[in-house]
Amino acid sequence: MSSIGAVLLVGPGWLGQVVATRLAALGASVATLQRSAPLGVSPGVVALTGDIASASSGPEPLTALQ
């Protein structure tokens, strides 16, 4: 099996959350970025809050992925 590495899903909806959970289960370092706080966070997935379109409300530091 090849290494997946780090994945950032921007604006994950219900399908993105499923993909994030599955990738984390396969060993990837996974983060999601969305404008509002998520309702729930899957194990192994870092949930970031911010707006990729606005620098003033940009994402939290991505140090959690390192």
Side-chain angles (χ1 to χ4, degrees), residues 21-45:
T21 301
R22 180 71 177 133
L23 288 171
L26 291 172
S29 177
V30 182
T32 60
L33 175 64
Q34 50 209 38
R35 289 182 183 150
S36 57
L39 297 176
V41 180
S42 300
V45 178

Side-chain angles (χ1 to χ4, degrees), residues 2-51:
S2 64
S3 175
I4 297 173
V7 177
L8 174 64
L9 296 170
V10 178
W14 67 268
L15 181 58
Q17 291 295 339
V18 172
V19 170
T21 301
R22 180 71 177 133
L23 288 171
L26 291 172
S29 177
V30 182
T32 60
L33 175 64
Q34 50 209 38
R35 289 182 183 150
S36 57
L39 297 176
V41 180
S42 300
V45 178
V46 176
L48 304 172
T49 304
D51 188 347

